[in-house]
Amino acid sequence: MISSLNLSGVQPYVSSEEIRRAIDANAGVLNRMLSGEAIGPADRGWFSPHRWQTDPLVDQIEALAEKIRAEAEVFVLVGIGGSNRGAQSVIESLGDGKVEILYAGDNVSSHALQKTLAQLGSRPVYVNVIAKDFNTLEPGIVFRVLRQHLESTLGEAARERIIVTGSQGDGQLHAFSQAYGCTYLPFPDDIGGRFSVISPVGLLPIAVAGVDIRPIIAGAAAAEQELKAWALETNPAVMYAAARNLLYEKGFLIENLVVMEPSLFYFARWWTQLYGETEGKNQRCIFPTASTYSEDLHAIGQYIQEGKRMVMETFLAARFPHPEQSIQPSAAADGFEYLDHKAYDDLNTAVYQAAVSAHAQDGVPCFQIEGGEVSPQLFGELFYFFMLSCCLSATLIGVNPFGQPGVEAYKRNMYRILEKPVKEPGL
Ligand code: PA5
């Protein structure tokens, strides 16, 4: 792997010996997850990303993305949760901006919808609606509005500008695409939303944004190969899972994922969804949140330094280096002369080191994931590392990593308020 897990900032709070003992005590369940034995066929699709390296669907996705890039000024990704966060995390960091990518269907704000329609105007556009279960209200209804917008501007040709990524079966997007006559891509049956970034769900939008999807797949495949073969006690995915739960038992109830590049905040949002929906099921689980430093050092950083000792942090040391950018002396004295001639990147390194040491020495356990330069390969690797480690962590706290039954509670109320007809069983 190109990244590595550094535990020096957590060792004052949880020793290597404690981590080893926790791993030994749970070796059976951890091995079953690491070998895939504990994952049922309905959820196993994300576990072996190497298979995409030879899947002809990836060639088809690349060809489709190339056509969209040649024809469109705007691409609207309509989806929510696992259907958009993975792609958004890569696009916002690595996209080339040739095609403007808009996100819709993740809220029901009429104001946001108006804004999206105004941004589209009469510009050449493609719409990609992504839904594993085409019953989710937010993307479903926004897709209808965008379809109507395309139909009113393009007429019959609207269908050529729509791509649906969804499941097969009654009432699902495959049936819709056949009736409507637009392009269909499969949302694999055996992959849940938040595990779907390395599949047509994430790969098409990422490719439309001009990012090479092959190294993303290769990065995930490399992580898969290494992590599956690694001995349990030194396996970083296992150690991270074990250590964070030992810290939870010691009162560290919140985990803050820290990124040092503003655009990586979208990766952090993918991460918070992954952990929140995977583990948040038994009232005895870590609350995942995220911060971007330096900005959040001047906000929530105060609480982390001196607030209640219930926060642990995971620093993602991954950056876009620009060694050519150095600080030039100023003719007007401004008090920053001590920075003259330094590389600009040294400032970010200094903030990183300063925050890790200030927090780790003062009551906040700090994991560090050292990833180096941000690249498509690193994204692939991090996606796989966190998906695997998150499932291992869920196993340790005794919850099923897959599904998100708690989300149904708000949906039930919303459907009642909106008077959605209830389907009789068997109809
Ligand atoms: O991770 C998940 O499975 C969820 O976040 C889903 O992706 C989200 O609820 C959207 O579901 P759907 O794609 O069915 O609209």
Side-chain angles (χ1 to χ4, degrees):
M1 298 219 300
I2 49 179
S3 63
S4 62
L5 175 68
N6 176 343
L7 293 175
S8 60
V10 298
Q11 266 146 3
Y13 307 92
V14 59
S15 68
S16 307
E17 183 51 25
E18 285 175 278
I19 299 174
R20 196 189 55 74
R21 276 204 306 269
I23 294 173
D24 284 352
N26 293 285
V29 285
L30 289 169
N31 271 324
R32 277 199 291 285
M33 180 55 73
L34 211 50
S35 66
E37 202 188 313
I39 311 174
D43 297 303
R44 206 177 283 156
W46 63 274
F47 189 63
S48 306
H50 71 269
R51 74 191 164 104
W52 295 106
Q53 288 177 307
T54 50
D55 193 318
L57 195 51
V58 176
D59 302 322
Q60 194 189 321
I61 288 169
E62 285 177 325
L64 183 55
E66 211 173 298
K67 178 172 150 63
I68 296 169
R69 281 171 65 77
E71 294 176 1
E73 261 181 44
V74 194
F75 177 87
V76 192
L77 194 178
V78 183
I80 192 165
S83 290
N84 72 358
R85 286 198 175 193
Q88 190 175 20
S89 73
V90 180
I91 294 167
E92 295 303 315
S93 278
L94 297 173
D96 65 4
K98 180 181 182 297
V99 177
E100 187 182 1
I101 313 289
L102 300 180
Y103 305 93
D106 56 359
N107 63 76
V108 281
S109 155
S110 55
H111 185 67
L113 187 58
Q114 287 295 326
K115 201 171 154 195
T116 303
L117 292 170
Q119 281 168 300
L120 294 185
S122 55
R123 297 159 78 197
V125 59
Y126 270 82
V127 171
N128 181 198
V129 59
I130 306 176
K132 175 143 188 176
D133 175 12
F134 189 49
N135 281 302
T136 308
L137 182 149
E138 291 87 347
I141 202 61
V142 169
F143 176 43
R144 181 194 287 189
V145 176
L146 293 177
R147 218 164 57 231
Q148 289 166 338
H149 169 82
L150 289 185
E151 286 161 359
S152 72
T153 51
L154 300 173
E156 281 291 296
R159 65 200 61 205
E160 289 159 26
R161 295 297 178 126
I162 292 173
I163 296 136
V164 305
T165 308
S167 307
Q168 312 235 358
D170 190 28
Q172 293 297 316
L173 277 169
H174 180 253
F176 175 88
S177 72
Q178 300 230 302
Y180 190 74
C182 58
T183 304
Y184 169 77
L185 287 175
F187 195 132
D189 286 343
D190 57 357
I191 304 186
R194 58 190 173 278
F195 294 92
S196 68
V197 56
I198 299 167
S199 83
V201 174
L203 295 177
L204 177 71
I206 292 171
V208 170
V211 182
D212 188 354
I213 55 179
R214 298 281 172 181
I216 299 179
I217 298 169
E224 173 196 349
Q225 197 185 4
E226 278 196 54
L227 293 172
K228 284 181 178 173
W230 216 311
L232 219 50
E233 283 175 9
T234 51
N235 187 318
V238 177
M239 291 172 84
Y240 176 52
R244 63 194 289 282
N245 284 304
L246 287 168
L247 289 166
Y248 177 84
E249 293 301 330
K250 294 179 186 213
F252 297 100
L253 311 181
I254 296 173
E255 182 175 3
N256 185 34
L257 184 79
V258 176
V259 294
M260 302 300 296
E261 291 282 354
S263 67
L264 282 177
F265 187 65
Y266 292 93
F267 177 80
R269 269 165 54 87
W270 171 85
W271 179 92
T272 50
Q273 187 212 351
L274 176 70
Y275 278 85
E277 280 196 330
T278 300
E279 294 199 297
K281 291 167 185 165
N282 67 354
Q283 302 191 17
R284 289 198 325 278
C285 37
I286 297 164
F287 178 83
T289 187
S291 299
T292 308
Y293 289 173
S294 296
E295 189 200 354
D296 285 315
L297 285 171
H298 294 257
I300 204 69
Q302 169 60 42
Y303 187 102
I304 290 170
Q305 192 70 46
E306 293 188 325
K308 191 168 166 59
R309 277 22 215 142
M310 60 177 177
V311 182
M312 64 179 116
E313 292 191 298
T314 296
F315 280 77
L316 181 56
R319 294 220 251 110
F320 296 97
H322 285 285
E324 73 288 357
Q325 190 159 351
S326 64
I327 297 167
Q328 299 308 308
S330 159
D334 59 7
F336 292 99
E337 288 70 24
Y338 65 99
L339 298 177
D340 286 354
H341 306 294
K342 284 199 193 314
Y344 202 88
D345 284 335
D346 290 350
L347 308 187
N348 211 346
T349 306
V351 171
Y352 176 89
Q353 290 169 347
V356 171
S357 57
H359 293 178
Q361 284 163 21
D362 205 9
V364 181
C366 292
F367 294 97
Q368 294 173 74
I369 294 181
E370 291 163 354
E373 187 167 348
V374 181
S375 65
Q377 169 111 8
L378 180 66
F379 266 100
E381 188 179 301
L382 292 176
F383 284 139
Y384 194 78
F385 171 79
F386 281 123
M387 289 192 292
L388 182 64
S389 190
C390 186
C391 288
L392 291 161
S393 183
T395 299
L396 287 173
I397 62 167
V399 301
N400 173 7
F402 308 107
Q404 52 285 333
V407 178
E408 294 307 315
Y410 105 87
K411 286 192 186 174
R412 271 193 301 276
N413 288 350
M414 175 180 67
Y415 293 146
R416 185 174 39 74
I417 295 164
L418 295 172
E419 298 176 3
K420 180 180 178 180
V422 181
K423 257 193 184 172
E424 297 297 330
L427 287 183

